[in-house]
Amino acid sequence: MLSALRKISETSKSPRRAVSVSNEPVEGNDLFEALVCEFHWTALQIGAITCCMNASLASGRTWMLRSCINLVPVESVVVKQALRSWQDLELPRELAAAIGRIYFDLSDAKRLALPLIDSAGVFVGPQIPLAKLEQITAVWRKLAEDCNGAVQDLEPETRWRLSGLYTSNALALGKFMKEAMTGKRSCVNQFGEVSLPVLPQRRRTRRFTFLQPCKVTFQGSTSIASAREISKNGIGLNCERGFKLRDPLLLELRSGRQMKGIVVWCKAGKVGVQFDSPLADHDPLIST
């Protein structure tokens, strides 16, 4: 009898699920978030270089450009992948084209600026003509202006797809880029040192493997789905039922726990759902 009671007691306990980081391919809303992170960081770098050029031009001290050496944006594989998949991500065509043009123009701007930046980093070297610096600074100011426009155009898409997680970034970048494109240089001190503004959200949301069946209810009709992964802000499902962007869903996990969200991505039986209310950091579904 005692052994039987012990067996019942042990089986009634629900062991804590082992939480592991997801190794699913970056696609859908995860790819969109990666694009936002990369593009915001690129915008910050463009603004910083433009401010350095503003400071160098205003002071006549071309050596101040050496602070740009570690600020030059590098080519982003994630951005390329996201822009190739703009239709799958259902990005507005004009927005995808604008971001693509910025990276194209950035390549030209870097080609013009890198020789000056490299020369400024040499203590004994040729003096950079101010007329040439003025021309190149104008190129970077225009790039900063275009970049600011794209950041602000991206923000409404980011707001509904990622629950406003990156809205504060867009506000901070908007203020910074306006300073840069109008010739201001408040982030550069007299020694040419750059103090970058802090972006409140810099890191992509961590995704965790989450393999279990669940129920999905839309407009009173319930379907069976299979969860693939989960994050603080949403969940990835496999579901044969067709959905559209912004469809409101009610999810019910195997435990009976219910969560509300909206569809932010769907393709070939895969569905990305953004929670109406993000999970708490200590939620057992995502806490390690």
Side-chain angles (χ1 to χ4, degrees):
M1 172 68 79
L2 183 60
S3 61
L5 288 175
R6 185 181 296 116
K7 184 176 181 180
I8 293 173
S9 175
E10 289 174 352
T11 56
S12 65
K13 296 178 182 178
S14 55
R16 180 172 176 144
R17 183 181 68 89
V19 178
S20 60
V21 177
S22 173
N23 58 4
E24 286 271 328
V26 179
E27 59 182 353
N29 215 44
D30 297 316
L31 181 57
F32 175 76
E33 185 178 7
L35 168 65
V36 173
C37 287
E38 289 286 339
F39 186 53
H40 281 181
W41 177 238
T42 298
L44 191 68
Q45 292 173 300
I46 289 173
I49 291 176
T50 306
C51 285
C52 282
M53 291 193 171
N54 291 339
S56 182
L57 189 61
S59 65
R61 301 170 183 169
T62 55
W63 54 263
M64 296 179 80
L65 289 177
R66 65 188 180 205
S67 298
C68 298
I69 291 176
N70 296 321
L71 294 172
V72 179
V74 297
E75 190 174 35
S76 172
V77 175
V78 167
V79 171
K80 282 187 172 183
Q81 181 184 354
L83 292 180
R84 283 197 302 266
S85 306
W86 69 271
Q87 289 178 303
D88 291 340
L89 298 179
E90 299 200 39
L91 280 178
R93 178 191 294 269
E94 297 79 8
L95 177 57
I99 295 174
R101 280 195 303 271
I102 285 168
Y103 279 93
F104 181 82
D105 293 342
L106 176 59
S107 297
D108 287 341
K110 285 166 58 176
R111 180 176 50 80
L112 293 172
L114 281 174
L116 273 68
I117 294 172
D118 291 339
S119 298
V122 178
F123 288 101
V124 179
Q127 179 69 20
I128 301 170
L130 288 179
K132 184 175 183 180
L133 176 59
E134 187 173 6
Q135 291 176 347
I136 297 177
T137 300
V139 171
W140 280 85
R141 287 178 184 173
K142 180 62 170 63
L143 182 60
E145 180 181 358
D146 293 343
C147 194
N148 181 48
V151 167
Q152 303 312 316
D153 289 343
L154 180 62
E155 200 281 324
E157 289 289 321
T158 305
R159 192 187 315 143
W160 76 265
R161 292 173 186 256
L162 299 170
S163 301
L165 193 63
Y166 292 85
T167 297
S168 52
N169 278 18
L171 293 173
L173 284 169
K175 181 180 178 181
F176 182 53
M177 301 300 278
K178 284 178 182 177
E179 289 188 0
M181 68 193 201
T182 55
K184 296 180 181 178
R185 54 193 185 278
S186 59
C187 69
V188 184
N189 65 18
Q190 60 183 340
F191 305 109
E193 298 168 334
V194 182
S195 178
L196 294 177
V198 176
L199 295 185
Q201 183 68 24
R202 274 285 310 280
R203 299 171 62 184
R204 284 171 47 207
T205 307
R206 294 181 70 190
R207 301 176 298 152
F208 301 94
T209 300
F210 189 69
L211 304 176
Q212 66 169 253
C214 61
K215 296 178 181 178
V216 181
T217 301
F218 173 61
Q219 294 182 339
S221 176
T222 300
S223 304
I224 300 299
S226 176
R228 304 188 326 271
E229 58 180 11
I230 194 168
S231 72
K232 179 177 181 177
N233 299 302
I235 189 169
L237 308 173
N238 290 332
C239 185
E240 294 304 319
R241 183 173 177 178
F243 295 106
K244 300 189 300 294
L245 290 185
R246 299 180 188 257
D247 279 349
L249 305 182
L250 174 64
L251 308 176
E252 184 176 338
L253 303 182
R254 185 170 52 191
S255 64
R257 180 176 177 179
Q258 294 185 336
M259 295 175 288
K260 294 181 178 180
I262 63 169
V263 175
V264 291
W265 180 73
C266 49
K267 181 186 178 185
K270 291 185 177 181
V271 183
V273 179
Q274 189 76 6
F275 296 140
D276 288 353
S277 300
L279 302 179
D281 291 335
H282 57 272
D283 192 295
L285 294 177
I286 58 172
S287 61
T288 56

